[in-house]
Amino acid sequence: MDIVRKIGYLLLSGGLMLLLYIFFHEFGHLIVMISAGETITEFSILGAHVSGIGGTYTTASAAMMNVNGALFPVVLSFLYTIFYQRKCRSTFYRIFSYLVAITPFASLLAWVLVPVLYLQGKAPIGDDITKFLDHTAEFFPPLAVSLVATAVIAAGGVLIWKKGLLRNFQEALKGERVSAE
């Protein structure tokens, strides 16, 4: 397979993954909004935004509103990775699957860093993580959030390794007898 096709698959996979990640991130927020009784007024993938009016939130549901944007794509990534077909030889499948598996876990790196910034008074204002910490800091310490995020990233990494996604991704890029089928 030529380098142009591999780059094309990588760019197509990256673009699709970006759109899917944004969709599922915002959909994660949407699930909580609907469960709190909000009327959804806007859902935008390109604007990476969901908004609504009304609804009744408890401290727990407000925290879920903020965490579910990251949590929903991670759960879907775990499920996708569990059902990954290691023996499939398709270059596109291997590239796309690797990005599906790794992107949500990579996004959790912010959940490791922002709690540390929060403790220093330097967390980004209006960020989902900052809002989550505002709702939970008195009973769930920020460093515990970092620790949980680190554990989830590690679990994802182990699953990705055990399912052979990294090896298959590398083989797809190197062109070791992988087809486009």
Side-chain angles (χ1 to χ4, degrees), residues 78-96:
F78 262 116
L79 291 172
Y80 184 93
T81 304
I82 287 168
F83 292 106
Y84 174 71
Q85 300 297 310
R86 176 189 318 220
K87 293 181 181 180
C88 180
R89 304 294 294 168
S90 166
T91 301
F92 179 78
Y93 178 73
R94 287 178 169 200
I95 292 171
F96 181 72

Side-chain angles (χ1 to χ4, degrees), residues 120-142:
Q120 298 171 352
K122 297 178 180 177
I125 297 170
D127 180 73
D128 284 340
I129 305 162
T130 303
K131 290 178 188 177
F132 176 82
L133 294 168
D134 286 342
H135 293 297
T136 62
E138 71 182 60
F139 58 88
F140 195 63

Side-chain angles (χ1 to χ4, degrees), residues 27-125:
F27 193 78
H29 291 309
L30 181 108
I31 291 168
V32 177
M33 293 168 75
I34 290 171
S35 71
E38 275 199 58
T39 301
I40 306 305
T41 58
E42 181 182 9
F43 185 91
S44 172
I45 296 171
L46 297 179
H49 179 73
V50 62
S51 59
I53 54 172
T56 305
Y57 288 90
T58 63
T59 300
S61 62
M64 278 305 298
M65 166 68 169
N66 300 120
V67 74
N68 210 42
L71 186 61
F72 191 64
V74 166
V75 168
L76 293 177
S77 178
F78 262 116
L79 291 172
Y80 184 93
T81 304
I82 287 168
F83 292 106
Y84 174 71
Q85 300 297 310
R86 176 189 318 220
K87 293 181 181 180
C88 180
R89 304 294 294 168
S90 166
T91 301
F92 179 78
Y93 178 73
R94 287 178 169 200
I95 292 171
F96 181 72
S97 294
Y98 178 74
L99 294 179
V100 166
I102 201 163
T103 300
F105 294 106
S107 75
L108 289 182
L109 291 172
W111 286 81
V112 174
L113 178 62
V114 171
V116 174
L117 296 174
Y118 186 85
L119 289 171
Q120 298 171 352
K122 297 178 180 177
I125 297 170

Side-chain angles (χ1 to χ4, degrees), residues 158-177:
V158 168
L159 182 61
I160 288 166
W161 180 264
K162 292 232 178 232
K163 293 296 284 187
L165 277 113
L166 179 60
R167 182 181 56 252
N168 283 353
F169 175 72
Q170 290 171 328
E171 285 178 6
L173 292 182
K174 288 179 185 175
E176 296 177 9
R177 299 180 48 97

Side-chain angles (χ1 to χ4, degrees), residues 6-24:
K6 287 180 195 175
I7 291 171
Y9 284 160
L10 195 54
L11 292 174
L12 178 61
S13 294
L16 284 172
M17 190 56 234
L18 178 63
L19 291 173
L20 285 171
Y21 179 80
I22 292 169
F23 175 79
F24 288 123

